[in-house]
Amino acid sequence: GEGAHAPAVVAVAANRGASGIDGVLSSAVGFSAGLGRRVSLLIGDMALQHDMGALRILGDSPHPMTIVVVNNGGGGIFSFLPIAAHADVFEPFFAHPHSLSFEHVAAAFGLRYIRASTPSELDVALRAAREGRGHVLIEAAVSARCDNVQVHKALGAAGAEAALACLEAHLPLASSVHEPANASPHGGAGTGKSCLSANKGGGEKA
């Protein structure tokens, strides 16, 4: 049954616009209205620029929102495309670098603004936003876009490793079941092998 220590339910949503970055902030405002409570939004600098007008709609929302905008000075996602190898056209036409600071954007729409340039500063900013009552825009200034692909790969590998460790720790695996005494030596029921244990020789990677 449900007790006092039941885990809190966290609603998570993702937006995919026609071009990947359309209407992300607008969707978050609608998501907050549908839930009837405050939400936190993680958004890229280019996506926020595309939907900046939604900040005016946000002013009419009774539910506080924390907006974390990752500012790496351009379209970092395009670094994953082959065109990234052609710097002469990649930077001006795909990465579209900018030097915009969102401090003045926040001020124009009456939002509290916090800048964070380190993980510890971001942690402090998120805690401050959570303890406040109004809308907050946190500008997370991150490293250069040239590091984007390698950081993404490292995070993906760490996430996969953590997920596998969690599965192995919490799921009842077939390998933990003892083989019955009358089991056939040629396989069948009771072979005592699981898909995870069988893959440990080198087939774990997804």
Side-chain angles (χ1 to χ4, degrees), residues 39-197:
V39 302
S40 297
L41 169 66
L42 178 63
I43 187 171
D45 49 356
M46 302 296 286
L48 182 55
Q49 290 182 60
H50 272 252
D51 199 22
M52 205 174 291
L55 290 172
R56 197 213 64 79
I57 303 175
L58 181 63
D60 297 331
S61 173
H63 311 295
M65 180 181 294
T66 299
I67 302 170
V68 180
V69 54
V70 179
N71 189 353
N72 58 4
I77 192 172
F78 301 114
S79 299
F80 292 84
L81 301 178
I83 192 63
H86 305 278
D88 56 330
V89 295
F90 176 72
E91 280 297 312
F93 300 113
F94 288 84
H96 195 63
H98 69 83
S99 58
L100 175 68
S101 169
F102 289 89
E103 181 177 6
H104 300 297
V105 174
F109 290 93
L111 307 179
R112 181 183 176 190
Y113 172 84
I114 306 175
R115 178 181 173 85
S117 55
T118 66
S120 59
E121 289 180 357
L122 179 59
D123 183 61
V124 171
L126 289 170
R127 292 177 184 274
R130 192 163 55 243
E131 294 169 358
R133 295 182 177 274
H135 306 301
V136 181
L137 192 154
I138 301 174
E139 182 171 4
V142 301
S143 60
R145 283 181 284 107
C146 59
D147 299 330
N148 193 49
V149 175
Q150 294 304 319
V151 171
H152 187 276
K153 289 181 178 179
L155 289 174
E161 182 178 353
L164 181 58
C166 182
L167 287 172
E168 291 183 326
H170 298 288
L171 290 182
L173 303 178
S175 60
S176 65
V177 180
H178 293 290
E179 184 175 341
N182 60 351
S184 168
H186 300 293
T191 57
K193 294 183 178 180
S194 72
C195 58
L196 286 178
S197 60

Side-chain angles (χ1 to χ4, degrees), residues 1-8:
E2 296 183 1
H5 300 290

